[in-house]
Amino acid sequence: MQTHCLRIEERPGSDSYQAAKAGLRATARVAIGLLVCGTLLFAPSRASAQSDDGSEYQVKLAFLYNFAQFVQWPPEAFSSPTAPLMLCVAGPDPFKGEIEQGLRGRTANGHRIQILRLKPEDDPRACHVIFVRASEEKAARKILAVLKGSNTLTVGESTGFAARGGIINLTLDENKLRFEINLGSAMQTELKISSRLLALAKIVKVEQKP
């Protein structure tokens, strides 16, 4: 299967961006099938605010896995072709035990996925993906500042995370887990985000400070 990737170089107001956006709509139906199939490897795609944390984070881990499948990192982001893809968690790690077992043995673009809890003294630039917990609002500001322009995919779960400069934010809408993408933040990196993923996302912009 051919993968259609969008090098995020077009600006939102340009004609080329509008043309690309129209193309994304055409692939949306296929993309939904691909993303849902990936999600079902782990857990149902429906998450409720009233559900237990285990079920919620099974679904969120499935989304993180799918994000890693639909994003390409530059070769220099890895120390070797067989180096693992580091998925770091800022804040309490919700993926321990049985939840993490669903990820064991799985790869993204040929790289084994390894989950690591990010400590305050750790350099976030060593991570390929950082999942920032909602409890880490203060830490999130520092992390986003350090990672600005880096090749780390930042994923949050708190209101406004993408608008504050994060690349992807997980949101809950009518008991369904959805996600936002900040194209401006993504354009500052060398990450290539698949058009299939963009077709499913709500596109947001960085908040303008008064």
Side-chain angles (χ1 to χ4, degrees):
M1 182 183 297
Q2 184 178 2
T3 301
H4 301 279
C5 289
L6 173 66
R7 292 178 181 269
I8 309 179
E9 297 172 352
E10 299 86 2
R11 296 188 179 277
S14 67
D15 292 339
S16 57
Y17 173 83
Q18 295 300 329
K21 193 172 182 180
L24 299 185
R25 295 194 191 101
T27 62
R29 187 168 298 177
V30 175
I32 289 172
L34 289 171
L35 188 59
V36 170
C37 287
T39 300
L40 291 179
L41 292 172
F42 299 103
S45 59
R46 184 178 291 268
S48 169
Q50 283 74 41
S51 66
D52 61 276
D53 284 348
S55 298
E56 175 185 349
Y57 283 99
Q58 277 186 316
V59 178
K60 287 185 175 181
L61 183 59
F63 269 72
L64 289 170
Y65 170 72
N66 278 284
F67 294 154
Q69 296 290 334
F70 285 92
V71 173
Q72 265 190 354
W73 281 260
E76 59 269 21
F78 298 91
S79 58
S80 72
T82 58
L85 185 148
M86 302 303 298
L87 195 169
C88 301
V89 179
D93 185 354
F95 304 130
K96 295 179 180 178
E98 293 183 3
I99 298 178
E100 186 180 355
Q101 287 180 8
L103 199 62
R104 290 179 182 173
R106 299 195 182 277
T107 62
N109 299 312
H111 297 275
R112 177 175 54 86
I113 299 175
Q114 183 175 336
I115 298 178
L116 177 71
R117 183 180 178 190
L118 188 72
K119 300 176 183 177
E121 64 271 18
D122 292 340
D123 185 352
R125 290 170 294 188
C127 305
H128 298 98
V129 182
I130 288 187
F131 177 56
V132 183
R133 299 292 308 277
S135 60
E136 305 303 300
E137 185 173 350
K138 290 183 179 179
R141 296 174 187 174
K142 181 179 178 181
I143 290 171
L144 291 176
V146 171
L147 292 177
K148 189 174 182 179
S150 73
N151 292 319
T152 298
L153 180 70
T154 52
V155 183
E157 60 171 356
S158 58
T159 302
F161 179 82
R164 291 192 296 271
I167 296 177
I168 299 179
N169 190 36
L170 295 169
T171 63
L172 197 63
D173 181 18
E174 296 182 351
N175 289 337
K176 291 184 179 180
L177 199 62
R178 304 184 188 279
F179 60 97
E180 308 167 327
I181 292 181
N182 185 323
L183 277 180
S185 296
M187 287 170 64
Q188 296 177 19
T189 73
E190 294 184 31
L191 301 175
K192 288 189 281 185
I193 300 180
S194 169
S195 59
R196 295 188 175 113
L197 192 61
L198 292 173
L200 295 174
K202 175 184 177 182
I203 305 301
V204 300
K205 297 180 180 180
V206 173
E207 293 176 340
Q208 297 296 325
K209 295 182 179 180

